[in-house]
Amino acid sequence: MSTETPVIPDTMRAAVLRDYDKGLQVETIRTPRPKAGEVLIKVTACGLCHSDLHVIGGAIAFPLPAVLGHEVAGIIVELGAGTEHTGLEVGQQVAGGFLMPCGQCRHCAAGHDELCEPFFELNRLKGVLYDGTTRLYSLDGEPIQMYSMGGLAEYSVVPATALAPVPEGVDPVSSAILGCAAMTGYGAVRRGADIKYGETVAVVAVGGVGSNIVQIARAFGASQVIAIDVADDKLEAVKAFGATATINSMTQDAREEVLKLTNGRGVDVSFEALGIPSTWNTALDVLADGGRMVPIGLGAGRQTAEVEINRTVRRSQSILGSYGARTRQDLPAVVDLAARGIINYDDLVTRRFSLDEAAAGYEALRNRAVQGRAVVDMSL
């Protein structure tokens, strides 16, 4: 960790979304500065996630202009007031969690960071932080909204509640995915499903989040982890992350195959990680009596999926939505799992783009040309 006082430039480069038709365009804007309870990081990498993709395409409403990017890694360069007891220091490498708890609302006070009211009401609806203003401005002083911390930029302001120090030995670029893809997977397994040792699991859609669910479920003691997808390359890749069997639901009947693998029972827990009706239905179809279905994927816009009411009632099945995790507790746990090699975050990052190539990276994601996770690497 460097002891030198970093020089913070007045301006920085950022990928800005102003127009849905034009997509992301790299601009020079003012460098943000942290306010009370906040930290400024120099971004080393930012992961590319489907949630951003929905905003870029206009399927999820968000005010423009905006800087997206919500899973970041970086180095602390400045601390705002009121961060003296956080354990954060200038020069530390950190990972940022996309779900940034205010730490003060009734849900945060109860330990439910994932339900933080200001996060949803201010950041997700208005693109601002918890004083009601953004930290990003154009050179002319025009406000630019923030999707989470607006990580597709050279510098980013993050609430101290959403940061966890990253120890030496953890890759400073690949660790960007710990704050969304890995933390969301951890939250689904630990909080949503509360998996017990020996339970059987199916994961429907094994991209960045789904692959993390596979390996975290194995780490929590699942006896079987069945990966279901429509892409053979993703199914082949996820074997290295602990999948005990794979099913291509385009060429195989997922329910029949899962029943064969589980002695006719179905799985104790199924996870849905894409957010479309077909994957939702598959996750329910493979579920055992008394089982738990945990949907994680966010749909584009307001999507609905059918649920067979009588089967759900008679078979005592549960549907347990899971959004992210409890950042203050779970992000440090995810970082620890990565540091100890229990989860393989490094090999999950299969493609790296420069900031100038961010739009191309999202296009590759849209075209399902990314296995695992892609990141914007600020060193490129």
Side-chain angles (χ1 to χ4, degrees), residues 77-151:
V77 293
E78 187 178 10
L79 297 168
T83 56
E84 295 84 4
H85 305 295
T86 60
L88 300 173
E89 302 174 11
V90 170
Q92 272 181 334
Q93 179 75 34
V94 290
F98 83 95
L99 206 165
M100 308 182 304
C102 73
Q104 300 177 29
C105 71
R106 61 193 178 100
H107 293 302
C108 286
H112 284 283
D113 295 1
E114 75 278 16
L115 300 177
C116 174
E117 291 173 332
F119 173 75
F120 289 102
E121 294 174 3
L122 293 174
N123 185 263
R124 274 297 178 267
L125 289 181
K126 300 179 180 179
V128 296
L129 293 183
Y130 306 143
D131 65 346
T133 65
T134 182
R135 301 294 174 267
L136 299 177
Y137 295 88
S138 71
L139 297 181
D140 295 330
E142 174 193 22
I144 299 173
Q145 310 314 122
M146 306 165 64
Y147 192 75
S148 284
M149 68 287 290

Side-chain angles (χ1 to χ4, degrees), residues 166-190:
V166 174
E168 291 185 15
V170 174
D171 185 271
V173 173
S174 298
S175 61
I177 74 166
L178 298 179
C180 178
M183 189 175 77
T184 298
Y186 180 91
V189 172
R190 171 68 180 84

Side-chain angles (χ1 to χ4, degrees), residues 272-289:
E272 189 284 324
L274 188 57
I276 61 175
S278 61
T279 50
W280 178 287
N281 291 337
T282 298
L284 286 173
D285 284 344
V286 301
L287 201 59
D289 293 353

Side-chain angles (χ1 to χ4, degrees), residues 60-72:
I60 290 181
F62 195 76
L64 303 182
V67 174
L68 309 182
H70 60 266
E71 55 177 26
V72 300

Side-chain angles (χ1 to χ4, degrees), residues 6-347:
V7 176
I8 301 170
D10 293 331
T11 63
M12 68 172 185
R13 299 172 73 241
V16 182
L17 179 66
R18 293 184 175 275
D19 185 292
Y20 296 126
D21 293 330
K22 294 180 179 178
L24 296 178
Q25 296 185 308
V26 176
E27 301 179 12
T28 297
I29 65 175
R30 297 180 185 179
T31 302
R33 304 304 285 265
K35 294 186 180 181
E38 300 169 355
V39 174
L40 179 66
I41 65 170
K42 183 176 183 180
V43 177
T44 55
C46 180
L48 306 184
C49 178
H50 269 95
S51 299
D52 290 328
L53 196 59
H54 293 326
V55 176
I56 292 169
I60 290 181
F62 195 76
L64 303 182
V67 174
L68 309 182
H70 60 266
E71 55 177 26
V72 300
I75 298 170
I76 294 176
V77 293
E78 187 178 10
L79 297 168
T83 56
E84 295 84 4
H85 305 295
T86 60
L88 300 173
E89 302 174 11
V90 170
Q92 272 181 334
Q93 179 75 34
V94 290
F98 83 95
L99 206 165
M100 308 182 304
C102 73
Q104 300 177 29
C105 71
R106 61 193 178 100
H107 293 302
C108 286
H112 284 283
D113 295 1
E114 75 278 16
L115 300 177
C116 174
E117 291 173 332
F119 173 75
F120 289 102
E121 294 174 3
L122 293 174
N123 185 263
R124 274 297 178 267
L125 289 181
K126 300 179 180 179
V128 296
L129 293 183
Y130 306 143
D131 65 346
T133 65
T134 182
R135 301 294 174 267
L136 299 177
Y137 295 88
S138 71
L139 297 181
D140 295 330
E142 174 193 22
I144 299 173
Q145 310 314 122
M146 306 165 64
Y147 192 75
S148 284
M149 68 287 290
L152 286 171
E154 293 177 317
Y155 290 85
S156 173
V157 168
V158 189
T161 54
L163 290 171
V166 174
E168 291 185 15
V170 174
D171 185 271
V173 173
S174 298
S175 61
I177 74 166
L178 298 179
C180 178
M183 189 175 77
T184 298
Y186 180 91
V189 172
R190 171 68 180 84
R191 306 293 179 184
D194 189 19
I195 283 183
K196 308 298 191 297
Y197 184 87
E199 288 191 309
T200 56
V201 167
V203 182
V204 185
V206 287
V209 174
S211 296
N212 272 298
I213 292 172
V214 167
Q215 61 177 336
I216 293 169
R218 287 290 282 169
F220 272 65
S223 59
Q224 287 180 279
V225 181
I226 303 164
I228 303 172
D229 205 289
V230 297
D232 285 331
D233 58 344
K234 292 183 179 181
L235 291 170
E236 184 62 32
V238 81
K239 293 177 183 177
F241 295 92
T244 57
T246 61
I247 297 168
N248 186 321
S249 57
M250 286 286 284
T251 59
Q252 299 169 284
D253 185 304
R255 176 173 170 78
E256 286 186 7
E257 295 302 317
V258 167
L259 291 177
K260 289 178 187 176
L261 291 164
T262 57
N263 296 318
R265 292 185 62 252
V267 293
D268 298 309
V269 183
S270 64
F271 295 92
E272 189 284 324
L274 188 57
I276 61 175
S278 61
T279 50
W280 178 287
N281 291 337
T282 298
L284 286 173
D285 284 344
V286 301
L287 201 59
D289 293 353
R292 297 152 357 247
M293 193 278 258
V294 182
I296 301 105
L298 286 178
R302 297 187 64 178
Q303 294 203 45
T304 59
E306 293 184 356
V307 176
E308 188 179 332
I309 295 172
N310 287 358
R311 184 177 73 181
T312 304
V313 173
R314 287 172 174 163
R315 300 306 178 189
S316 299
Q317 294 174 332
S318 303
I319 300 173
L320 304 161
S322 178
Y323 185 73
R326 299 177 186 178
T327 306
R328 291 172 293 174
Q329 299 175 53
D330 296 342
L331 182 57
V334 169
V335 170
D336 182 62
L337 289 171
R340 292 195 284 138
I342 294 174
I343 60 172
N344 180 355
Y345 66 97
D346 205 2
D347 290 341

